[in-house]
Amino acid sequence: MASSARTVEEIFKDYTARRTAILRALTLDVDHFYGLCGPDRENLCLYGHPNESWEVSLPAEEVPAELPEPALGINFARDGMNRKDWLSLVAVHSDSWLISLAFYLAARLNRNERKRLFSMMNDLPTVFEVVTERKPVKDKPSIESGSKSQGSTKRSSDGQVKSNPKIADADYKDNEDEHGETLCGSCGGNYNADEFWIGCDVCERWFHGKCVKITPAKAESIKQYKCPSCSMRSGRH
């Protein structure tokens, strides 16, 4: 079970191999997997290995274990649930295990590397989504979710802060065409993913950071951003 993965690429390779193994157990090999999980047996776990093989086995005897362990006792609920519901439950726990294992191996990575790793993992549908045949849902920005200046701010792998208006996920791929019609409320310029943008929490218009004299560092400390026009209107009341 030990793994020497340490770089982002190595950890992601380990994650995808184990994920492939889990998916095979819960889809192509599901009848065999189901048969191995009799409730009369001891506490069983579903393991996915780096060589893309899967195994139903007892948990590791070491305490604490060398690596994070999968959900324990998946077999006990098998006969008390609908088959599809039970497989969905195992899928959810498998997703949690895969992520926890990946970030255990990522303990020595820096914040940008961890963020890149999660982004690579998040580009793939979860085990639960595959098993239940659920389609990806587009993420929509929400006013209630908090300040746009914070909610839409993201850092690239080199640490540069930039903001993307109307961030959406379509089939796990970024679609910048959806941003193309966004215009700066100050200069009227088109959206450019390479530039820092900030959204007004009052009028919901977007602005180049340079047009409203807001830097990425300054945006991090703003809880609620008001553009110059909205600030002037507020001052008149």
Side-chain angles (χ1 to χ4, degrees):
M1 289 288 292
S3 175
S4 60
R6 287 296 178 266
T7 68
V8 171
E9 288 71 22
E10 288 172 337
I11 297 172
F12 182 65
K13 182 179 179 180
D14 182 272
Y15 169 83
T16 54
R18 294 178 189 271
R19 174 182 171 276
T20 297
I22 297 291
L23 284 173
R24 181 177 291 113
L26 298 179
T27 55
L28 296 177
D29 300 341
V30 65
D31 290 335
H32 181 44
F33 166 69
Y34 191 86
L36 292 175
C37 295
D40 56 329
R41 301 183 62 186
E42 295 185 49
N43 292 315
L44 296 176
C45 301
L46 172 60
Y47 293 93
H49 297 303
N51 63 358
E52 298 187 4
S53 66
W54 60 271
E55 176 185 13
V56 172
S57 178
L58 295 172
E61 295 182 358
E62 299 90 350
V63 178
E66 181 182 359
L67 295 172
E69 287 286 297
L72 178 66
I74 59 172
N75 52 313
F76 292 149
R78 192 197 72 174
D79 289 355
M81 299 177 65
N82 173 280
R83 174 168 164 146
K84 288 184 178 180
D85 291 340
W86 178 73
L87 291 172
S88 297
L89 180 63
V90 175
V92 169
H93 282 292
S94 296
D95 280 319
S96 299
W97 174 63
L98 290 169
I99 292 174
S100 67
L101 179 55
F103 274 78
Y104 175 87
L105 298 175
R108 300 185 189 282
L109 300 182
N110 62 42
R111 61 181 297 183
N112 288 330
E113 290 172 328
R114 291 194 303 272
K115 188 170 185 177
R116 183 160 66 92
L117 173 62
F118 180 77
S119 179
M120 293 166 68
M121 292 162 57
N122 201 40
D123 280 341
L124 298 173
T126 64
V127 173
F128 175 75
E129 287 172 331
V130 175
V131 170
T132 59
E133 299 181 345
R134 295 197 177 193
K135 295 182 179 180
V137 178
K138 290 185 178 181
D139 295 330
K140 296 181 180 179
S142 170
I143 298 175
E144 291 78 9
S145 64
S147 170
K148 292 185 181 64
S149 61
Q150 293 183 354
S152 61
T153 298
K154 64 179 183 179
R155 288 181 174 82
S156 59
S157 58
D158 60 3
Q160 180 183 359
V161 180
K162 45 191 177 181
S163 179
N164 276 350
K166 301 179 182 178
I167 296 175
D169 232 2
D171 295 331
Y172 296 88
K173 293 182 180 179
D174 291 333
N175 185 357
E176 290 194 9
D177 292 337
E178 294 183 13
H179 310 324
E181 296 180 1
T182 302
L183 303 178
C184 175
S186 177
C187 71
N190 289 320
Y191 166 76
N192 187 333
D194 294 326
E195 296 178 301
F196 174 77
W197 283 64
I198 189 167
C200 176
D201 288 288
V202 179
C203 67
E204 300 185 13
R205 290 185 298 169
W206 290 89
F207 301 83
H208 289 110
K210 61 184 179 183
C211 290
V212 291
K213 298 181 180 179
I214 298 293
T215 64
K218 186 175 181 180
E220 291 286 343
S221 62
I222 298 176
K223 294 184 178 179
Q224 183 183 50
Y225 175 69
K226 291 183 180 180
C227 68
S229 297
C230 291
S231 297
M232 290 178 61
R233 283 196 291 268
S234 298
R236 291 170 185 168
H237 294 298

